[in-house]
Amino acid sequence: GNSVTQMQGQVTLSEEEFLFINCTYSTTGYPTLFWYVQYPGEGPQLLLKVTTANNKGSSRGFEATYDKGTTSFHLQKASVQESDSAVYYCVLGPYGGSGNKLIFGTGTLLSVKP
Amino acid sequence: GGIITQTPKFLIGQEGQKLTLKCQQNFNHDTMYWYRQDSGKGLRLIYYSITENDLQKGDLSEGYDASREKKSSFSLTVTSAQKNEMAVFLCASGDTYNQAPLFGEGTRLSVL
């Protein structure tokens, strides 16, 4: 079936450190992949998306590459800021045949210390 | 600009009570979703709807009903609230396969 795996439940960094959040997915189709970010008390909001395999998406210094070979969509940022502290979700879909479903990973809580 | 409005923002219920959550969107999106968010478990799909009067079950539909009588609104009913239940219910809407669905701010449920 379709699924998304985020192994890191929590990541703690200091400002200006490098961020890497692991995401792998499983699907039989060709979905769009997203990263959403959720700040306390708010709903998730789109951070970036990639619609085509082997392409890279970027936004606000974050980037992720849709790697169909390794079925991965890892999130990276060269230098984090305290304001990046939030929960990050890797998301699969929707796409034709999935019934318009969005499938969320379990989320990674990023805490950035000043 | 458009907006997704969820009401109420906070909902306190009693065990066994039927509770209804509402969601309105003015983007004219075809698809709407209800997700449940529990701490440490990410978002789990309860119901979604691809058009007016359509309903599709998600992975967590047991214990819930949904209704999409108008394109702009999607309601969720907790058929019998469970004691000590605490979760955030998130509504989202979207259109076309490549557009990223947009989320409301959520309804926070507590059951006494």
Side-chain angles (χ1 to χ4, degrees), chain A residues 25-41:
Chain A
Y25 65 91
S26 173
T27 180
T28 56
Y30 296 87
T32 295
L33 296 175
F34 307 90
W35 277 100
Y36 276 76
V37 57
Q38 185 176 27
Y39 300 100

Side-chain angles (χ1 to χ4, degrees), chain A residues 48-100:
Chain A
L48 59 86
K49 72 175 184 182
V50 181
T51 58
T52 307
N54 301 323
N55 281 3
K56 182 164 69 177
S58 60
S59 173
R60 299 188 248 162
F62 292 90
E63 59 181 40
T65 299
Y66 184 159
D67 189 329
K68 192 157 172 54
T70 59
T71 62
S72 66
F73 192 55
H74 309 314
L75 183 68
Q76 303 181 66
K77 187 176 186 184
S79 176
V80 295
Q81 302 300 311
E82 190 177 1
S83 58
D84 293 328
S85 297
V87 179
Y88 292 81
Y89 290 100
C90 184
V91 183
L92 177 69
Y95 65 97
S98 78
N100 287 25

Side-chain angles (χ1 to χ4, degrees), chain A residues 32 34 36 38 40-46 49 51 87 89 93-107, chain B residues 31 33 35 37 40-45 48 50 56-59 90 92 96-106 108:
Chain A
T32 295
F34 307 90
Y36 276 76
Q38 185 176 27
E42 300 181 9
Q45 57 185 266
L46 178 68
K49 72 175 184 182
T51 58
V87 179
Y89 290 100
Y95 65 97
S98 78
N100 287 25
K101 285 183 181 181
L102 287 178
I103 298 174
F104 280 73
T106 51
Chain B
T31 305
Y33 308 81
Y35 284 87
Q37 184 174 38
K41 292 186 179 180
L43 278 70
R44 293 180 288 172
L45 182 64
Y48 67 104
I50 63 174
Q56 309 280 341
K57 291 183 178 181
D59 297 327
L90 290 160
T96 75
Y97 292 127
N98 290 330
Q99 184 183 65
L102 302 169
F103 281 82
E105 293 192 339
R108 284 150 184 80

